[in-house]
Amino acid sequence: MLSIQRLIEDIHSQLKPEFGSGKVADYIPELAKVDPHKFGIAVETIDGASFFVGDAEDAFSIQSISKVFGLTLALGKHGDALWRRVGREPSGGSFNSIVQLESENGVPRNPFINAGAIVISDAILAGHRPREAIGQILRFVRYVAEDEAIVVDAAVARSEQRTGFRNMALANYMKSFGNLAHDAELTLGVYFHQCAIAMTCRQLAKAGLFLANGGRMRSGHSIIPRERARRICALMLTCGHYDASGDFAFRVGLPAKSGVGGGILAVAPGLASIAVWSPGLDRHGNSQLGTRALQALAERAGWSIFD
Ligand code: GLU
């Protein structure tokens, strides 16, 4: 294999003059405080190698990337019954859009738009108190990342709780269709805390490895069946970048999930898990330089699911 370390160092220095470009998410006030010049990449291969460059050891808000872990957990709990409450189609709309919910009877298009992820949080909450559900998600992330130091950033969670009017509207609207079992406030408490998990690129790349490795950790321990890992990857490819999912698949050719914190988790099945972080976003809410970095890495390493 081409030297991955050399490659990511090259990408880092190539993009360096542009660090800070894009627009940091400011609709969650706490996220607006992040230094836009941060940039990190981490790669974990399934055969045991780790590579990283730049700010790959700085923790950032994983935001919507957490939807991948939430979905994995909810599928483990409810199995295919979950698909009665949330669809598997790209939305072609923005991450927080409400428009389709009216004509589609409160059933969100997919688990990676906000409405879908709120339903998933509601499913994880079943039979638990919000604190326990949040604990379950955090324990799961710590387990797959093999790192007990991962925490929820309480200031980010509070910031979103205070300003998440859109998400409140989405939750209440779905509740009116009977697609939310708990009070909107309780479900959103789980959702906001899940989004506020803070991780480094290195931790995130490690946490995504089971998806690149047919559902197994590097130790061989099975997290989910191979078929489920494939399906989660299929959803990441088709829905992981909101209304820019098609363009991301075209440019990068790997399943991936972005978050408004500027992170992206990408999976090269059978090969590696990759996390990038650059807080400046494009107009779709996806990391501008993160996408460019992944495009360069996938191209130069020859990683694509379409080979
Ligand atoms: N917590 C964010 C929200 O609900 C997640 C959005 C994202 O990362 O795309 O607005």
Side-chain angles (χ1 to χ4, degrees):
M1 201 191 306
L2 192 99
S3 165
I4 299 297
Q5 186 62 38
R6 267 265 321 268
L7 225 166
I8 59 176
E9 281 169 13
D10 267 13
I11 294 169
H12 180 269
S13 44
Q14 253 166 31
L15 292 178
K16 201 168 186 170
E18 296 178 65
F19 285 1
S21 61
K23 191 174 174 303
V24 173
D26 55 7
Y27 75 99
I28 301 172
E30 201 62 24
L31 293 186
K33 297 181 183 165
V34 174
D35 175 359
H37 295 89
K38 292 283 179 181
F39 181 95
I41 309 178
V43 179
E44 291 283 334
T45 66
I46 62 170
D47 50 19
S50 310
F51 309 98
F52 60 97
V53 71
D55 302 309
E57 294 183 289
D58 286 17
F60 62 91
S61 193
I62 67 167
Q63 291 296 320
S64 278
I65 302 171
S66 67
K67 294 171 182 172
V68 174
F69 305 116
L71 174 65
T72 307
L73 206 57
L75 280 171
K77 238 175 137 159
H78 300 275
D80 285 342
L82 200 61
W83 302 122
R84 288 201 285 267
R85 299 181 59 188
V86 61
R88 304 188 293 257
E89 289 294 339
S91 69
S94 67
F95 69 99
N96 57 5
S97 171
I98 200 166
V99 289
Q100 280 161 349
L101 280 179
E102 178 165 27
S103 53
E104 297 179 2
N105 300 316
V107 176
R109 275 284 173 102
N110 68 68
F112 293 153
I113 49 173
N114 284 11
I118 292 168
V119 166
I120 299 293
S121 293
D122 192 63
I124 295 173
L125 185 53
H128 296 284
R129 281 197 284 264
R131 189 176 286 276
E132 293 165 349
I134 296 160
Q136 242 181 27
I137 299 167
L138 188 60
R139 271 195 301 282
F140 178 66
V141 170
R142 285 175 173 169
Y143 185 75
V144 287
E146 296 181 87
D147 198 330
E148 290 298 309
I150 297 167
V151 291
V152 171
D153 184 330
V156 173
R158 263 197 312 276
S159 181
E160 199 167 351
Q161 222 144 10
R162 271 199 305 268
T163 56
F165 306 112
R166 270 277 188 139
N167 288 323
M168 286 170 214
L170 291 171
N172 280 305
Y173 201 48
M174 291 189 290
K175 179 94 182 161
S176 77
F177 284 99
N179 200 10
L180 215 64
H182 305 89
D183 284 351
E185 210 173 311
L186 299 185
T187 297
L188 286 171
V190 177
Y191 172 75
F192 291 144
H193 281 80
Q194 164 197 305
C195 288
I197 293 174
M199 290 170 82
T200 68
C201 286
R202 293 194 72 190
Q203 290 167 332
L204 198 53
K206 198 99 177 279
L209 207 53
F210 74 96
L211 290 169
N213 196 27
R216 289 176 184 276
M217 309 236 323
R218 245 181 339 217
S219 63
H221 185 85
S222 174
I223 302 294
I224 48 170
R226 177 177 290 276
E227 183 185 60
R228 185 165 291 163
R230 283 195 190 126
R231 288 180 157 169
I232 293 171
C233 285
L235 288 168
M236 289 168 77
L237 184 78
T238 52
C239 311
H241 278 70
Y242 312 117
D243 43 341
S245 298
D247 191 55
F248 186 88
F250 182 85
R251 287 167 62 183
V252 181
L254 296 175
K257 181 74 202 88
S258 69
V260 292
I264 305 176
L265 171 64
V267 175
L271 294 168
S273 165
I274 308 129
V276 298
W277 176 47
S278 168
L281 308 179
D282 62 20
R283 66 191 171 90
H284 297 290
N286 301 311
S287 172
Q288 190 163 297
L289 291 187
T291 306
R292 297 252 308 276
L294 280 169
Q295 182 173 359
L297 178 59
E299 249 168 44
R300 292 173 61 185
W303 290 346
S304 166
I305 59 162
F306 299 109
D307 276 337

